[in-house]
Amino acid sequence: MSNSDKSVVSRLRKLIGEGAYQPGERLGEVAVSEQLGVSRTPVRLAFRTLEQEGLLQRAGKRGFMVREFTEADVLCAVEVRGVLEGLAARRLAEQGLSPALDAKLEVWIQKGRELLAKGYLEERDVDVWSELNRHFHETIVGSSGSPVIGDAIARNNHLPFAAADSIVIDSEALDREYRKLQLAQVQHELVVQALRHGEGARAEMLMREHAFIGLRYGELFGLGG
Amino acid sequence: MSNSDKSVVSRLRKLIGEGAYQPGERLGEVAVSEQLGVSRTPVRLAFRTLEQEGLLQRAGKRGFMVREFTEADVLCAVEVRGVLEGLAARRLAEQGLSPALDAKLEVWIQKGRELLAKGYLEERDVDVWSELNRHFHETIVGSSGSPVIGDAIARNNHLPFAAADSIVIDSEALDREYRKLQLAQVQHELVVQALRHGEGARAEMLMREHAFIGLRYGELFGLGG
DNA sequence: AACGTTATGTTTGGATCCAAAGTAGAGCTT
DNA sequence: AAGCTCTACTTTGGATCCAAACATAACGTT
């Protein structure tokens, strides 16, 4: 995939994620190509990719439309990530944690501890957490013995609200986010503990529950969602 | 997607599934287009779709190659389908089975009973089972309240060995397959039973186990795999 | 006046052309 | 002889052209 081609896909992905197009809106190839300043060809290619990612949908026989997502879809996507990451964790626990992998996980656990040690959250900490969180999840998923689980998760994560690093949204209320991250850190540590003891079922369930943190834990701290 | 476009994707999917190309083999756009008797354009479009489906992989900076799957990948893909269908079943049990849905499931259960009632399997029964099995699974997955789970399963099923209807392979040994389908039928009935009683965890685990039937149950009947 | 048919315009799909990037091979230099 | 460089060829990506399908609107007929 050339630079431009990739950039058309990701630019469109970004535009859709930002809500630049109305859900259900039909996307014409010419309109989009003019908007992005390229010819129809890369747009046609991008549409096929985005269709597979689930962001676009066939609009009858005539082109594509922006897919709309309901509340239920969001919940489902998070649950899907939960069960898939849970599966990865269980397999990892069952096959046993190699010393190298153990050390690798410990790194991200340790970074999390350090980040939260000072007792509060700064603006720039958000990115640091997002990064270490991504690494933690990728390490577990990537070590499950086959790329198949990771691929399934990656495809699910194309739904913008489903990805694991969409936890922190509200950088205005850093004190509430701090408590959320504290809980996430505990969950990370418990997962590693379970993995070390070969507790497959426990690792799976912890990982599943962990998926909900970006979704329902707000209620715990007096938030809306 | 036009007829030809769709047909290029599915024709390629079929060719790859049949092993017409070696795993790891690079696919040139011109070579494939000549082989299929179309121009490069539909092939380029199809490659993007097949890449997202996981059948093709980027080969460095130069085009695509046929993805190769290991034993572990096959196992993983089956497990992925298991946890996803398990998730769908659990959600269904938790939200309660509507009378209409109950009746719909009963239809496929009944058809399964009828098929197996005569005590043995004929050649043509295989397709009948495949059909009712597909309907049964689709009904459960499609009723989980959001298309997200179904999409994830559909994407996973693009790996030819992962789909639920790849159960019956050996139409030479119909007596052994009969016993397998008998077991599958029991599992279907147990799933419906659990759904009716709102037993989410049980429905989930039954569905998960059911996924393995095409994979590991052969050993029970003195087969290889 | 309503329905059906036709004609025009819009949009997508397929083919081809051109440019750019990459690879391999040959020739030259050290 | 080995390594580097330059060149020629292969292959992909982007743009454009043409045809086919679909939708819409207008016109004619009943």
Side-chain angles (χ1 to χ4, degrees):
Chain A
M1 201 169 270
S2 85
N3 288 334
S4 314
D5 190 0
K6 212 174 199 125
S7 117
V8 169
V9 172
S10 47
R11 277 203 288 169
L12 267 175
R13 207 185 281 140
K14 189 154 168 277
L15 282 172
I16 295 171
E18 288 169 352
Y21 306 105
Q22 291 303 315
E25 182 180 343
R26 260 202 61 224
L27 287 189
E29 293 177 359
V30 281
V32 172
S33 63
E34 282 169 9
Q35 195 172 342
L36 299 184
V38 292
S39 85
R40 272 181 58 215
T41 307
V43 173
R44 288 171 70 183
L45 293 169
F47 277 10
R48 298 314 190 283
T49 299
L50 293 171
E51 181 201 13
Q52 288 300 116
E53 290 185 359
L55 268 65
L56 294 184
Q57 235 177 355
R58 300 261 155 195
K61 314 214 165 195
R62 215 68 185 274
F64 296 87
M65 53 188 275
V66 179
R67 176 157 170 195
E68 51 188 334
F69 293 101
T70 65
E71 196 89 8
D73 293 330
V74 175
L75 176 62
C76 245
V78 169
E79 280 205 90
V80 164
R81 181 164 59 79
V83 298
L84 290 174
E85 291 190 338
L87 171 61
R90 178 166 58 78
R91 287 178 59 95
L92 205 50
E94 286 170 357
Q95 77 192 31
L97 217 55
S98 74
L101 191 52
D102 192 319
K104 206 167 159 189
L105 287 170
E106 185 61 32
V107 169
W108 306 118
I109 293 292
Q110 201 54 44
K111 279 199 193 295
R113 275 204 203 111
E114 287 165 15
L115 184 74
L116 298 172
K118 65 176 180 290
Y120 59 95
L121 217 57
E122 292 177 70
E123 181 79 35
R124 62 195 183 82
D125 290 338
V126 172
D127 291 336
V128 178
W129 173 269
S130 181
E131 188 74 359
L132 80 85
N133 184 61
R134 195 170 54 77
H135 280 293
F136 179 80
H137 285 258
E138 279 179 2
T139 301
I140 290 178
V141 170
S143 309
S144 63
S146 163
V148 169
I149 299 177
D151 288 352
I153 293 175
R155 287 192 291 256
N156 188 63
N157 282 356
H158 283 132
L159 310 183
F161 40 81
D165 52 358
S166 60
I167 294 186
V168 179
I169 314 136
D170 191 358
S171 56
E172 301 297 315
L174 288 174
D175 51 333
R176 286 188 300 212
E177 297 301 339
Y178 178 79
R179 287 199 283 168
K180 219 195 270 185
L181 294 195
Q182 228 174 1
L183 197 46
Q185 173 71 18
V186 170
Q187 290 175 328
H188 283 185
E189 299 200 23
L190 287 174
V191 166
V192 172
Q193 191 183 89
L195 289 178
R196 283 188 179 131
H197 291 88
E199 298 164 346
R202 186 170 167 234
E204 172 166 18
M205 288 306 162
L206 283 167
M207 208 64 182
R208 275 202 195 187
E209 184 57 32
H210 180 53
F212 283 107
I213 200 167
L215 201 61
R216 286 186 174 166
Y217 281 45
E219 299 169 14
L220 288 182
F221 308 123
L223 286 160
Chain B
M1 202 169 269
S2 84
N3 288 335
S4 313
D5 190 0
K6 213 175 198 124
S7 118
V8 168
V9 172
S10 49
R11 277 204 288 169
L12 267 175
R13 207 187 280 141
K14 189 154 168 277
L15 282 172
I16 294 171
E18 288 170 351
Y21 306 106
Q22 292 303 316
E25 181 181 343
R26 257 200 65 228
L27 287 189
E29 294 177 358
V30 281
V32 172
S33 65
E34 283 169 8
Q35 196 172 344
L36 298 184
V38 293
S39 86
R40 273 182 56 216
T41 307
V43 174
R44 288 171 69 184
L45 293 170
F47 277 11
R48 300 315 191 279
T49 299
L50 294 172
E51 180 200 14
Q52 288 300 115
E53 289 185 359
L55 269 65
L56 294 183
Q57 236 176 354
R58 300 259 155 197
K61 313 213 165 195
R62 213 71 184 277
F64 296 88
M65 54 188 274
V66 179
R67 177 157 169 194
E68 51 189 334
F69 292 101
T70 66
E71 197 88 9
D73 292 331
V74 175
L75 177 61
C76 244
V78 169
E79 280 204 270
V80 164
R81 180 164 59 80
V83 298
L84 289 175
E85 292 190 339
L87 171 61
R90 178 167 57 78
R91 288 178 58 94
L92 205 51
E94 286 170 357
Q95 76 192 31
L97 217 54
S98 74
L101 191 53
D102 192 317
K104 206 167 160 190
L105 287 171
E106 185 60 32
V107 169
W108 306 119
I109 293 293
Q110 201 54 43
K111 280 201 193 296
R113 274 204 203 110
E114 287 164 16
L115 184 75
L116 297 172
K118 66 175 181 291
Y120 59 95
L121 216 57
E122 291 178 69
E123 181 79 36
R124 64 197 181 83
D125 291 337
V126 172
D127 290 337
V128 179
W129 172 268
S130 181
E131 189 73 0
L132 81 85
N133 183 61
R134 194 170 55 76
H135 280 293
F136 179 80
H137 284 258
E138 279 178 3
T139 301
I140 290 178
V141 170
S143 309
S144 63
S146 163
V148 169
I149 299 178
D151 289 352
I153 293 175
R155 287 192 292 255
N156 188 64
N157 282 357
H158 284 132
L159 309 183
F161 40 82
D165 51 359
S166 61
I167 294 186
V168 178
I169 314 135
D170 192 357
S171 57
E172 301 297 315
L174 288 176
D175 51 334
R176 287 188 299 213
E177 297 300 339
Y178 177 79
R179 286 197 284 167
K180 218 195 270 186
L181 294 196
Q182 227 175 3
L183 197 46
Q185 173 71 18
V186 171
Q187 290 175 328
H188 283 187
E189 299 199 24
L190 287 175
V191 166
V192 173
Q193 190 182 90
L195 290 177
R196 282 188 180 132
H197 291 87
E199 299 163 346
R202 185 169 168 234
E204 172 166 17
M205 288 307 162
L206 284 167
M207 208 64 183
R208 274 202 194 187
E209 184 58 31
H210 180 51
F212 283 106
I213 200 166
L215 200 61
R216 285 187 173 165
Y217 280 45
E219 298 169 13
L220 287 183
F221 308 122
L223 285 160

